[in-house]
Amino acid sequence: RARCSVSNRFVELKAIFVMSIPKFTRLTTTACPLNIENIDTDQIIPARFLKAVERKGFGDNLFRDWRFDKAGARVDGFPLNDSRYGGEILVAAKNFGCGSSREHAALEPRFLNVRAVLVKSFARIHETNLKKQGMLALTFVDPSDYDRIREDDRISITGLRSFAPGSRMTVTLLHSDGTSESFEAAHTYNEQQIGWFKAGSALNVKA
């Protein structure tokens, strides 16, 4: 019975985690700016939601304690609750994803259609977990480029056609005044991890 229980739970969890991020070679969208350093995995998804074994509620629990007050009402001032920031790129400061290792913290953004995370720096384990989920995890080559992003920008990421270990991506900021500017973003993907990205997740490679 114990073995059956473990097996059933694996099937349930696999139903959550095996899902593909649509393939893309160029991403142009608005961004969700989080001007916060040291965002830890408990802030990304509070511990009380870690026992979920079905997709219901995923996405709603991303930054749950920042997006909703104690009564469950939406906090209008938080970027993810603002329709202007309904994009597929999450932009944050340094040490993103620090704290305990949580696969759910890397999975949650996918349910809000986030495809790329661009930060000054990642906590190492969370960066790997994002890669496993098929996310595009990028860092600013020059951290000061973070300050060039405006709240109403559209952001275009190119360079995925030549995605390879050690390659660079180009990030172009399309400002609302009609001007634009570009800078480079780095990644730490190896060949296997690039395969995960192209398949939509690591589990899709093994599925």
Side-chain angles (χ1 to χ4, degrees), residues 107-118:
L107 176 66
E108 277 285 328
R110 298 176 61 177
F111 287 87
L112 289 181
N113 298 317
V114 176
R115 299 189 189 188
V117 181
L118 173 63

Side-chain angles (χ1 to χ4, degrees), residues 40-62:
D40 66 38
T41 53
D42 192 55
Q43 292 162 330
I44 296 173
I45 178 171
R48 62 187 182 275
F49 298 117
L50 294 181
K51 295 183 179 180
V53 293
E54 58 182 29
R55 294 187 182 188
K56 182 179 180 181
F58 272 86
D60 289 339
N61 298 327
L62 180 64

Side-chain angles (χ1 to χ4, degrees), residues 52 88 112 140 199 206:
E88 298 168 332
L112 289 181
F140 295 89
K206 299 175 181 179

